[in-house]
Amino acid sequence: MSKRTIEVLAYDPTWKERFTLLAKDLRASLGAKALRIDHVGSTSVVGMWAKPIVDIQISVRSLDLLEEFKLPLEQLGYIFRANNPDLTKRYFREKPGATRTHIHVRKEGSYSEQEALLFRDYLRQQPEEAEKYSQFKQDLAVEYKEFLKRYVEEKAPFIHAMLMSARVWSQQVGWFPGESDG
């Protein structure tokens, strides 16, 4: 198992500020190639505990046009992870020594793009659910402090159940993704 200390921290308003600055650079570099640039993941939910990693989702017309977005992202210093096993996205990370940032490039309208936005919006609108998820992550971080793989594996069933609730909620409120964050 991979060993890396897992740190889950109380919400930090600088996460939103970091996203805003990063999104500005991404928008300038990608232009119209980025149909959406969104802050996703736990750092995008005010009040939520999270690993201090800003997750950014960039929506594009096609993942097949890799070079159209890969080159501009690399020019900004992001490193393409070609070995990422999730084929629903193209994945980039920060350069060594930089603040942790994960870039998830997904096809506009795809299930994986919509799921990330739905989960984020559900947690933003349901603070009691965000609190449950925060507490669960804190507990897991204590139990699996040096075992990232186990931490991720143990989170999966909880997230799946929460996504089921988010889907019901989306139908009740007529959810659609709002405007892009960046």
Side-chain angles (χ1 to χ4, degrees):
M1 287 191 200
S2 65
K3 277 195 168 193
R4 183 170 61 204
T5 302
I6 298 165
E7 188 177 35
V8 175
L9 305 175
Y11 179 76
D12 183 342
T14 64
W15 293 336
K16 183 176 183 176
E17 294 166 14
R18 269 189 42 225
F19 166 77
T20 300
L21 291 172
L22 294 170
K24 184 179 177 185
D25 290 342
L26 290 166
R27 176 57 65 203
S29 181
L30 292 166
K33 294 175 194 117
L35 304 176
R36 295 181 64 98
I37 299 174
D38 291 286
H39 190 184
V40 296
S42 296
T43 62
S44 72
V45 180
V46 173
M48 184 126 183
W49 285 65
K51 290 182 290 178
I53 301 167
V54 171
D55 284 286
I56 299 172
Q57 178 170 271
I58 299 172
S59 302
V60 297
R61 289 194 203 312
S62 172
L63 295 178
D64 294 332
L65 303 173
L66 177 65
E67 293 306 315
E68 282 191 8
F69 54 85
K70 180 177 179 268
L71 292 174
L73 290 173
E74 288 177 336
Q75 288 171 346
L76 290 174
Y78 296 104
I79 299 169
F80 177 56
R81 295 294 185 92
N83 62 345
N84 177 51
D86 182 349
L87 299 180
T88 67
K89 68 180 178 183
R90 301 301 176 258
Y91 182 55
F92 295 79
R93 290 277 307 270
E94 76 286 346
K95 63 185 169 193
T99 305
R100 294 284 303 274
T101 307
H102 294 180
I103 306 282
H104 312 270
V105 180
R106 293 186 169 112
K107 184 179 185 320
E108 177 191 38
S110 68
Y111 178 79
S112 61
E113 181 223 27
Q114 297 293 300
E115 183 179 63
L117 296 172
L118 171 61
F119 192 54
R120 177 205 64 193
D121 290 354
Y122 177 69
L123 292 172
R124 284 179 174 176
Q125 296 299 314
Q126 304 294 318
E128 67 285 351
E129 293 296 295
E131 176 56 35
K132 283 185 210 172
Y133 186 34
S134 289
Q135 187 60 56
F136 185 69
K137 290 191 303 177
Q138 290 172 67
D139 294 344
L140 286 179
V142 169
E143 187 171 353
Y144 300 109
K145 187 169 186 64
E146 294 183 359
F147 299 98
L148 179 62
K149 185 177 180 193
R150 283 297 304 276
Y151 172 85
V152 171
E153 289 169 352
E154 294 295 323
K155 262 191 350 178
F158 188 91
I159 292 170
H160 179 73
M162 195 164 273
L163 277 167
M164 295 299 109
S165 297
R167 287 185 189 121
V168 170
W169 170 80
S170 75
Q171 294 168 353
Q172 292 170 342
V173 300
W175 175 84
F176 285 97
E179 293 295 315
S180 173
D181 291 335

